[in-house]
Amino acid sequence: MSDIDVLLQEHRLFPPSPAFRAAARVQDTQLQDAAASDPVEFWAREASELTWSKPWDTVMHWTPPHVTWFAGGELNASVNCVDRHIHGSRRNKAAIIWEGEPGDRRTYTYWDVYREVNLAANMLKKLGVVKGDRVAIYLPMIPEAVFAMLACARIGAVHTVVFGGFSPESLRDRINDCGCKVLITADGGYRRGQIVPLKRHADKAVAECPTIEHMLVVMRRRSGVGDEMAAEMQEGRDHWWHRLKRDVPRECAPEAMSAEDNLFILYTSGTTGKPKGVVHTTGGYMTGVSATSKYVFDLKEEDVYWCTADIGWITGHSYLVYGPLANGATCIVYEGAPDWPEKDRLWEICERYGVTIFYTAPTAIRAFMKWGASYVEKHDLSQLRLLGSVGEPINPEAWMWYHETVGKQHCPIVDTWWQTETGAIMITPLPGVTSTKPGSATTPFPGVRVAVLDSQGDQIGVGGGLLALTHPWPSMLRTIWGDDQRYIDTYFSKWPGRPDLYFAGDGAKRDEDGYLWILGRVDDVLNVAGHRIGTMEVESALVDHPSVAEAAVVGKTHDIKGQAIAAFVTLRNGFTASSSLRDELREHVAMKIGALARPDDILFSADLPKTRSGKIMRRLLRDIAEGRALGDMSTLADATVVDGLRAQYEAQE
Ligand code: PRX
């Protein structure tokens, strides 16, 4: 039986406990019912919970596939995340509790964050950044990363955060695509006891970034240690964060931003070799992330909330920064690896700060499972009351382990489906209302309309098909930076004549109870340890190596990472396959893109299976990589290629 069949035979049902329900923000289906009949009204009500400096004129205007929300309204995201909390009882509440990997700790109250964001905003101004400019952020998970994002938002600069694990080339391409003026980085960061030399990477990248005028560099190095991080500062271009901070005024008036002004660009992988800059705007995005944080995580004043995602991904943007801070929550931020110095690091942190809400990815849960329950059981996790999962399908076995070993059977699990493009959670249980099923993201969030469609665009009542969102929502992407046609083609052209249907790129099934089961990507996008990687990106990195003539990349099931990368490579004349060349190619991909894209397997082959018109048949390569029976081979130009590859693959395993 395939994994999917196992998943779909899951019938266990876990209702919220009466105690959880009785205290939950949402306890019945009224909210969902009202939102179902009038989603626009629902979102307008949620938007009105934000602080606006000017009210909007029109809630929504939809000319498919382009939308505006709250047109005419003005607000500032940093005011909503910080300023509005400093006048009342939250002024001295912890906003960020941070722990560095080596064990250093800092706590910032809302007042502290207010000061830091104002100072950082003035630093950017001093470097010449004005409203609408783009600023790249390439930082480890340190509090300054949050301050930098909010500082951009405060002055109306558009941030683009680049994950610290990306290579200099990936950083360069992102900076150049959107023409950033300033890059905010650090001398380095700590990861599994090692130092990630971010400034050196940044220097390499910026050497080929003509638009960068300045670099603002946070000193992460702890005094007396980490000299390996020593950064070379280029006079006039580079500025230490802590020094510049002394030279700027303490207060920075927030820019009044139109609801539809851009808040940030975040690059994500698609089906071509070039990542796309997903554009999010201010009013709609803030409405989406603030409402979902409140209802999905059932956020209460006294909660200690921890989303383990890195700010380099959308989950870090929406559920580590903008959503929880808009709700005045206390958030944990941790810099390093979950198994450093021991495999109980996360549970130690949960215990130390009394974490009540914990949001992580299935890939992490599967790693915890493998390491064993003893690491969890060593710690008192009695404060935990809600668990979340995001980023990839969670298999029922991992769900049950999370429920029993971490949640001690009393914490509801919210399995949340969404994407960089959706900005906020779209399909999820409401923890005080929904009975959950292990492996199912359950039902749409209030105000979100979802359909499972066949290739003609007809609704599938019960059964599998393509996942679509059928009504605009406030936090949807507005375009792809510099390429609106790609926006239209990728998301709104799947069903001809229906530019109102958003194609998510995922397969899904609806069961007899109306529950949704996400089946994974149906396009050439891989999900490796919860990170999106395009097969074409890895292929381009491989063919960039002088030995490679042609490459085809597919995903193969992996116990922990969900998917791993398998590459089939044909070499140019004069090069011979060897294990050292295999290692070299793996490193080449890591160097070009980042370690997250390093292939697990590389198979050298004289030929790749192609159709008569010369298209590589990835489907057959997936069958080979997964060790499955081969599918339809009737369109193959030369069937013997496949037999040869399979024999070779099995011999290598
Ligand atoms: O395939 C789906 C998977 O992650 C993709 C989106 O990736 P990204 O834009 O990087 O955002 C990840 C964090 C929101 C989706 O197309 N995905 C995300 N959440 C789930 C999921 N698959 C199954 N279940 C989920 N809960």
Side-chain angles (χ1 to χ4, degrees):
M1 210 169 8
S2 76
D3 289 353
I4 287 169
D5 292 333
V6 173
L7 192 72
L8 299 179
Q9 289 187 4
E10 180 59 63
H11 292 303
R12 285 173 287 195
L13 206 59
F14 293 84
S17 71
F20 189 97
R21 173 168 296 182
R25 273 181 179 269
V26 187
Q27 304 179 3
D28 56 37
T29 59
Q30 264 183 35
L31 188 82
Q32 287 156 304
D33 296 343
S37 62
D38 193 347
V40 175
E41 167 60 23
F42 167 78
W43 289 117
R45 217 176 32 245
E46 291 305 320
S48 67
E49 303 261 312
L50 297 173
T51 299
W52 296 78
S53 52
K54 182 167 173 277
W56 60 82
D57 304 317
T58 316
V59 181
M60 181 192 77
H61 187 67
W62 181 219
T63 38
H66 293 102
V67 77
T68 62
W69 282 89
F70 314 116
E74 288 180 359
L75 77 169
N76 184 287
S78 85
V79 168
N80 276 283
C81 291
V82 189
D83 300 38
R84 65 175 176 153
H85 305 310
I86 61 167
H87 301 295
S89 57
R90 289 179 183 148
R91 181 185 176 90
N92 302 317
K93 175 177 177 176
I96 295 173
I97 300 177
W98 174 79
E99 214 173 280
E101 196 188 74
D104 37 349
R105 297 178 201 167
R106 288 189 250 158
T107 297
Y108 293 86
T109 63
Y110 272 95
W111 171 251
D112 295 329
V113 175
Y114 173 78
R115 279 181 55 95
E116 297 290 340
V117 169
N118 274 266
L119 288 164
N122 279 330
M123 290 194 257
L124 291 172
K125 275 187 163 174
K126 188 157 177 149
L127 297 179
V129 178
V130 297
K131 181 176 172 181
D133 282 346
R134 272 80 60 211
V135 171
I137 299 178
Y138 185 59
L139 283 172
M141 287 286 286
I142 53 179
E144 286 81 357
V146 180
F147 307 151
M149 291 165 77
L150 293 173
C152 288
R154 192 164 194 86
I155 63 170
V158 179
H159 60 69
T160 185
V161 182
V162 179
F163 174 55
F166 274 124
S167 67
E169 286 193 30
S170 298
L171 174 63
R172 176 199 66 195
D173 293 348
R174 285 158 175 77
I175 290 175
N176 287 339
D177 188 71
C178 64
C180 298
K181 198 176 199 176
V182 166
L183 167 62
I184 307 179
T185 188
D187 47 359
Y190 294 91
R191 183 81 194 172
R192 212 161 268 128
Q194 303 284 315
I195 279 160
V196 187
L198 290 170
K199 175 67 163 68
R200 275 180 225 163
H201 291 176
D203 284 339
K204 262 195 213 153
V206 165
E208 295 173 36
C209 296
T211 57
I212 290 286
E213 294 175 10
H214 293 287
M215 264 203 249
L216 187 53
V217 187
V218 180
M219 189 181 275
R220 170 70 188 99
R221 178 175 55 212
R222 295 192 309 154
S223 51
V225 281
D227 283 343
E228 309 86 309
M229 277 189 206
E232 269 178 42
M233 301 293 279
Q234 186 178 308
E235 185 70 33
R237 185 196 66 179
D238 302 348
H239 312 267
W240 284 112
W241 173 290
H242 61 283
R243 297 232 175 99
L244 197 60
K245 196 163 134 177
R246 291 189 213 130
D247 301 338
V248 294
R250 281 199 300 273
E251 298 271 336
C252 173
E255 196 74 38
M257 303 296 286
S258 295
E260 283 296 326
D261 276 340
N262 294 338
L263 178 61
F264 65 85
I265 303 167
L266 184 60
Y267 285 84
T268 188
S269 296
T271 52
T272 74
K274 188 173 177 284
K276 358 176 225 201
V278 168
V279 175
H280 282 289
T281 55
T282 310
Y285 176 80
M286 287 305 294
T287 301
V289 297
S290 149
T292 46
S293 295
K294 179 175 64 179
Y295 294 129
V296 175
F297 300 113
D298 189 45
L299 271 179
K300 308 261 179 55
E301 209 53 64
E302 60 281 6
D303 274 313
V304 178
Y305 165 90
W306 188 10
C307 164
T308 64
D310 191 283
I311 47 137
W313 311 112
I314 191 68
T315 309
H317 283 59
S318 302
Y319 298 110
L320 194 137
V321 181
Y322 290 108
L325 295 180
N327 282 280
T330 295
C331 307
I332 303 285
V333 178
Y334 168 59
E335 177 186 35
D339 55 351
W340 192 266
E342 289 297 334
K343 296 188 173 69
D344 65 342
R345 183 66 186 266
L346 301 194
W347 316 121
E348 184 190 78
I349 293 175
C350 282
E351 177 176 346
R352 178 159 34 252
Y353 303 106
V355 170
T356 58
I357 302 170
F358 183 73
Y359 188 35
T360 198
T363 189
I365 299 167
R366 290 189 294 262
F368 302 146
M369 260 173 94
K370 187 173 157 225
W371 297 340
S374 64
Y375 291 104
V376 186
E377 285 158 2
K378 254 167 75 180
H379 295 279
D380 174 5
L381 302 182
S382 56
Q383 299 300 309
L384 277 177
R385 65 180 195 89
L386 178 65
L387 300 174
S389 170
V390 59
E392 30 167 345
I394 178 164
N395 44 313
E397 201 194 346
W399 195 101
M400 287 306 298
W401 187 90
Y402 200 26
H403 172 67
E404 286 169 357
T405 309
V406 181
K408 316 289 185 224
Q409 303 192 13
H410 71 86
C411 300
I413 296 180
V414 288
D415 173 3
T416 61
W417 176 88
W418 58 293
Q419 309 176 300
T420 306
E421 293 88 341
T422 69
I425 293 168
M426 295 282 107
I427 304 176
T428 175
L430 286 182
V433 180
T434 315
S435 293
T436 51
K437 295 185 187 183
S440 167
T442 73
T443 50
F445 184 78
V448 173
R449 288 191 179 157
V450 169
V452 178
L453 303 178
D454 64 17
S455 54
Q456 307 305 309
D458 291 326
Q459 287 249 13
I460 294 172
V462 174
L466 302 171
L467 186 65
L469 298 169
T470 61
H471 188 278
W473 64 101
S475 63
M476 66 192 264
L477 80 165
R478 295 300 191 264
T479 188
I480 298 295
W481 181 264
D483 196 352
D484 195 55
Q485 193 57 46
R486 192 169 173 196
Y487 164 82
I488 297 168
D489 294 346
T490 308
Y491 305 109
F492 295 97
S493 303
K494 183 72 184 174
W495 295 281
R498 293 296 307 272
D500 56 322
L501 295 177
Y502 171 87
F503 170 54
D506 279 312
K509 173 178 161 142
R510 195 193 298 275
D511 71 14
E512 292 76 10
D513 302 327
Y515 278 52
L516 292 157
W517 301 77
I518 309 297
L519 304 178
R521 303 288 306 191
V522 293
D523 53 12
D524 289 327
V525 171
L526 306 177
N527 193 328
V528 179
H531 300 150
R532 247 165 98 165
I533 299 170
T535 50
M536 291 268 286
E537 282 175 77
V538 183
E539 288 165 4
S540 323
L542 283 165
V543 296
D544 175 78
H545 191 275
S547 69
V548 177
E550 199 170 33
V553 162
V554 297
K556 74 178 248 191
T557 309
H558 186 279
D559 283 357
I560 294 188
K561 296 194 273 192
Q563 275 191 312
I565 299 176
F568 294 79
V569 165
T570 56
L571 293 174
R572 287 181 191 278
N573 277 339
F575 289 90
T576 322
S578 67
S579 61
S580 65
L581 182 57
R582 178 176 294 127
D583 292 343
E584 191 177 322
L585 291 180
R586 295 178 70 233
E587 284 323 301
H588 187 73
V589 175
M591 188 265 295
K592 296 288 289 181
I593 304 176
L596 73 172
R598 187 186 281 123
D600 272 30
D601 299 339
I602 292 186
L603 191 78
F604 295 110
S605 160
D607 279 301
L608 292 172
K610 290 190 183 153
T611 60
R612 284 175 204 103
S613 58
K615 238 180 113 192
I616 296 176
M617 291 185 72
R618 283 216 186 78
R619 181 174 50 77
L620 290 177
L621 293 175
R622 273 196 295 271
D623 291 342
I624 293 172
E626 299 271 20
R628 276 196 299 258
L630 294 174
D632 180 11
M633 294 202 284
S634 56
T635 52
L636 262 184
D638 176 2
T640 58
V641 170
V642 172
D643 295 333
L645 266 177
R646 162 156 273 183
Q648 222 184 317
Y649 202 88
E650 283 165 1
Q652 185 192 272
E653 288 278 278

